[in-house]
């Protein structure tokens, strides 16, 4: 009887998140040409450095396969290529499987939700592409879909159903919308785009876990715009929230920043947006002020309420949130460390709990839980 009672007590725990799951943190270091590996302590948020993997000059965006067995990285210096790694061992070691040539420099890559295609957006070449991933988890040269965008495509994501793609088209101030076929083809959806405010600079987007809303972060205005998704995937703009830190830090409206850009005026320079897996909170980065701002998401309307803003690593380009909604990891392009922040489950407030050394030009953060 005692054994039966014990089993009944343990059953809910066994059916929830994996008890012995391990979360690895991967950070690309553009100037060092490496990918740093860390192990995240899910109990206290500490980060244990596990080593650096050589990658190549200007290694920047990273993407994990849905099953966590592969990591992909894009080299943004010629010859442009995608590296496919196997994630293995107790320390999250990376074993290089292949280096696949690609036609453009990609500041953003991700896999579709099936893990069969690598999606990429090119800021310089104004394209979005889909490349086949083979049965070994290697990105192949086979391009299954390619579309020409307006100037400076900066990101591409899928919806939860994997049938729609959304592109942050920074230079055109648009969020582009496409249908995504099972064979990897990409075709315009409806009008093909929703127009944003002039010179706002649509950059990165996230989808709510219930697939009802898309939120886009604009680089130059620092605003967050909420869109409603229709059943066919088309978007309708609902509401826009102003940048949370512009007034406090006296930031002027941002500008596009081509190579060699120089301007002493403090300007809005928003970078990344992430939503917690449970859909309760959204966080965004602003690079000039080196801050992360957090918002509570209303469960019904999807509207945002500002929680607060916190100083983080210098020039934060990327953030990532663990699968348990507990920790937010920040990389700063001008910081010698990456930071780990506890997410208060009730308020969404952030508290810095740990740091770990980073390479030069720490750029992209990706988490893999196994």
């Amino acid at each position: 009887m005692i054994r039966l009672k014990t089993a009944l007590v343990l059953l809910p725990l066994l059916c929830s998140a994996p008890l012995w799951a391990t979360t690895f943190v991967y950070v690309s270091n553009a100037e060092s040409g490496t990918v740093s590996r860390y192990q995240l302590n899910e109990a206290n948020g500490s980060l244990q450095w596990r080593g650096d993997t050589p990658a190549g000059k200007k290694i920047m965006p990273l993407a994990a396969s849905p099953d966590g067995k592969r990591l992909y990285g894009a080299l943004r210096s010629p010859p442009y290529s995608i590296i496919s790694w196997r994630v293995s061992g107790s320390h999250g070691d990376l074993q290089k499987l292949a280096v696949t040539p690609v036609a453009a420099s990609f500041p953003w890559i991700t896999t579709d939700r099936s893990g069969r295609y690598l999606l990429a957006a090119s800021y310089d070449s104004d394209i979005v592409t889909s490349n086949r991933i083979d049965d070994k988890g290697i990105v192949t040269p086979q391009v299954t879909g390619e579309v020409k965008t307006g100037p400076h495509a900066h990101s591409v994501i899928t919806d939860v159903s994997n049938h729609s793609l959304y592109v942050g088209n920074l230079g055109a101030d648009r969020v582009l919308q496409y249908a995504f076929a099972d064979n990897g083809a990409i075709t315009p959806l409806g009008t093909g785009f929703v127009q944003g405010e002039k010179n706002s600079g649509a950059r990165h987007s996230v989808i709510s876990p219930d697939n009802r809303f898309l939120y886009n972060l604009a680089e130059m205005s620092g605003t967050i715009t909420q869109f409603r998704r229709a059943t066919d995937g088309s978007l309708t703009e609902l509401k826009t929230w102003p940048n949370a830190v512009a007034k406090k830090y006296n930031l002027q409206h941002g500008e596009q920043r081509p190579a060699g850009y120089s301007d002493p005026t403090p300007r809005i320079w928003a970078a990344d947006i992430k939503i917690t897996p449970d859909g309760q909170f959204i966080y965004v980065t602003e690079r000039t002020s080196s801050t992360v701002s957090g918002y509570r998401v209303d469960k019904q309307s999807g509207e945002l309420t500002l929680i607060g803003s916190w100083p983080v690593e210098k020039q934060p380009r990327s953030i990532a949130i663990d699968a348990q909604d507990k920790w937010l990891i920040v990389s700063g392009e001008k910081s010698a460390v990456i930071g780990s922040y506890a997410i208060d489950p009730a308020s969404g407030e952030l508290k810095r709990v740990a740091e770990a050394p980073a390479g030069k030009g720490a750029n992209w953060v990706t988490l893999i839980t196994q």
Side-chain angles (χ1 to χ4, degrees):
M1 180 62 71
I2 293 176
R3 290 181 179 178
L4 178 59
K5 288 182 178 179
T6 302
L8 291 174
V9 169
L10 291 176
L11 183 59
L13 296 175
L14 294 172
C15 294
S16 60
L19 291 176
W20 310 115
T22 300
T23 297
F24 298 111
V25 177
Y26 298 93
V27 177
S28 62
N29 305 303
E31 295 179 33
S32 299
T34 60
V35 174
S36 294
R37 310 186 310 277
Y38 310 85
Q39 189 166 332
L40 173 66
N41 186 318
E42 288 283 359
N44 61 22
S46 63
L47 296 164
Q48 184 175 4
W49 178 76
R50 291 299 193 181
D52 291 329
T53 300
K57 187 178 179 182
K58 217 171 180 182
I59 177 72
M60 293 183 75
L62 302 174
S65 62
D67 62 8
K69 295 181 179 180
R70 299 290 184 268
L71 183 72
Y72 306 104
L75 293 175
R76 297 194 64 194
S77 60
Y80 307 125
S81 58
I82 301 293
I83 304 175
S84 301
W85 287 286
R86 174 186 288 116
V87 179
S88 62
S90 59
H91 294 169
D93 296 336
L94 297 178
Q95 178 187 355
K96 186 185 292 185
L97 299 177
V99 178
T100 305
V102 289
S105 168
F106 294 123
W108 178 285
I109 60 172
T110 189
T111 67
D112 79 315
R113 295 183 185 250
S114 74
R116 296 187 298 130
Y117 302 99
L118 186 90
L119 307 171
S122 176
Y123 183 93
D124 298 322
S125 298
D126 311 328
I127 57 172
V128 168
T129 61
S130 171
N131 278 63
R132 186 80 170 88
I133 297 175
D134 67 18
D135 293 340
K136 296 180 180 179
I138 295 173
V139 175
T140 72
Q142 180 187 356
V143 177
T144 61
E146 180 175 324
V147 291
K148 189 71 174 177
T149 67
H152 309 324
H154 213 301
S155 64
V156 54
I157 63 171
T158 69
D159 77 312
V160 175
S161 75
N162 208 45
H163 293 149
S164 303
L165 297 184
Y166 302 102
V167 176
N169 199 172
L170 189 146
D173 306 310
R174 292 174 172 178
V175 176
L176 310 183
Q177 53 190 31
Y178 297 98
F180 185 58
D182 289 341
N183 64 1
I186 304 171
T187 54
L189 182 62
T191 60
F193 66 90
V194 284
Q195 185 66 49
E197 179 186 354
K198 186 177 181 181
N199 296 325
S200 56
R203 183 178 167 95
H204 292 180
S205 302
V206 292
I207 292 282
S208 61
D210 61 12
N211 215 27
R212 292 192 299 145
F213 303 111
L214 178 142
Y215 301 88
N216 177 261
L217 175 67
E219 176 175 317
M220 296 178 292
S221 65
T223 53
I224 302 173
T225 301
Q226 176 196 16
F227 299 88
R228 178 188 292 115
R229 291 188 64 261
T231 53
D232 68 350
S234 58
L235 300 175
T236 301
E237 182 178 338
L238 294 179
K239 190 171 182 177
T240 297
W241 287 266
N243 182 263
V245 297
K247 289 184 178 180
K248 179 179 180 179
Y249 292 93
N250 297 314
L251 303 181
Q252 303 303 305
H253 195 92
E255 296 179 344
Q256 292 188 38
R257 303 191 178 212
Y261 174 88
S262 178
D263 180 2
T265 304
R267 296 187 182 278
I268 296 171
W269 196 20
D272 204 8
I273 179 171
K274 290 293 188 295
I275 189 168
T276 52
D278 64 5
Q280 189 174 3
F281 304 115
I282 280 177
Y283 298 93
V284 299
T285 73
E286 200 291 311
R287 286 174 284 186
T288 301
S289 61
S290 296
T291 56
V292 167
S293 298
Y295 299 80
R296 178 181 295 278
V297 182
D298 185 271
K299 290 183 179 180
Q300 298 302 319
S301 68
E303 292 193 1
L304 306 182
T305 301
L306 179 65
I307 301 166
S309 302
W310 305 272
V312 295
E313 282 59 38
K314 189 173 182 180
Q315 202 167 299
R317 170 134 182 168
S318 179
I319 53 177
I321 299 170
D322 77 311
Q324 303 302 315
D325 310 294
K326 293 173 60 178
W327 312 107
L328 182 140
I329 310 299
V330 181
S331 69
E333 293 175 296
K334 301 296 184 182
S335 175
V337 299
I338 62 170
S340 177
Y341 296 78
I343 301 173
D344 186 283
S347 68
E349 292 271 350
L350 296 182
K351 179 182 179 181
R352 195 170 193 272
V353 295
E355 66 179 41
K360 292 184 178 180
N363 190 268
W364 204 271
V365 184
T366 296
L367 273 56
I368 291 178
T369 299
Q370 295 183 334

